[in-house]
Amino acid sequence: MGLKDKRQIDKNKTFFQSLGHALEGIKRLVLEERNFRFDLIIAAIVLCLGIVLQIKINEWLWLFAAFFSVIGSEVLNSIIENVVDLIVGHHFDLMAKRAKDIAAGGVLLSATFAAIIGALIFIPRLIMLFK
């Protein structure tokens, strides 16, 4: 499937070969990226809370948009960090720092969006629950 040969230089020939590489990438994210694992844990907690509070379908749609916004921006941040590190190695470079800071800022914006969505969905329900 191409996963064992780390020196593949040709284009993927099958869907399953591409799928294998994509799954390998997700595995790397889970194993190597602390913030990605944190995002998954928060998403799991929010999913459980949504089930317990029986949120509506449109609220689920907003939550999933928020989840994938954060996870997607975390993936892009990891890509940028890895490419920058590949280019500059262990040397400080101001442009490399800027690229990494901007990528991290994108994750922060997505996380803020997710927090706002979560607050709009859950705070009114929790207030009603504790009244």
Side-chain angles (χ1 to χ4, degrees):
M1 194 189 319
L3 289 179
K4 299 208 185 303
D5 182 12
K6 301 292 183 189
R7 297 177 293 172
Q8 176 184 342
I9 56 172
D10 296 330
K11 218 173 150 109
N12 295 329
K13 292 183 176 34
T14 67
F15 167 78
F16 293 107
Q17 191 177 22
S18 297
L19 180 63
H21 290 301
L23 292 172
E24 180 67 22
I26 292 170
K27 177 181 158 188
R28 290 265 162 236
L29 283 164
V30 171
L31 293 176
E32 297 174 5
E33 298 296 332
R34 180 192 71 236
N35 290 339
F36 187 80
R37 289 190 302 271
F38 177 76
D39 295 338
L40 292 178
I41 291 167
I42 295 299
I45 292 168
V46 170
L47 285 172
C48 292
L49 187 60
I51 290 168
V52 168
L53 295 177
Q54 299 177 342
I55 64 175
K56 298 175 185 162
I57 188 71
N58 62 331
E59 293 169 324
W60 280 115
L61 292 171
W62 278 104
L63 282 181
F64 276 97
F67 293 156
F68 285 102
S69 170
V70 173
I71 288 171
S73 62
E74 195 69 62
V75 169
L76 291 173
N77 181 52
S78 296
I79 292 166
I80 289 167
E81 286 180 350
N82 279 280
V83 170
V84 166
D85 289 346
L86 178 67
I87 294 167
V88 300
H90 295 292
H91 303 289
F92 178 81
D93 182 279
L94 188 57
M95 292 302 289
K97 180 188 179 328
R98 285 182 65 195
K100 287 183 170 188
D101 289 351
I102 291 168
V107 176
L108 181 59
L109 290 172
S110 292
T112 302
F113 168 72
I116 291 168
I117 295 299
L120 290 171
I121 292 171
F122 291 117
I123 288 175
R125 289 186 178 273
L126 292 172
I127 289 171
M128 294 294 288
L129 186 66
F130 290 113
K131 270 190 174 179

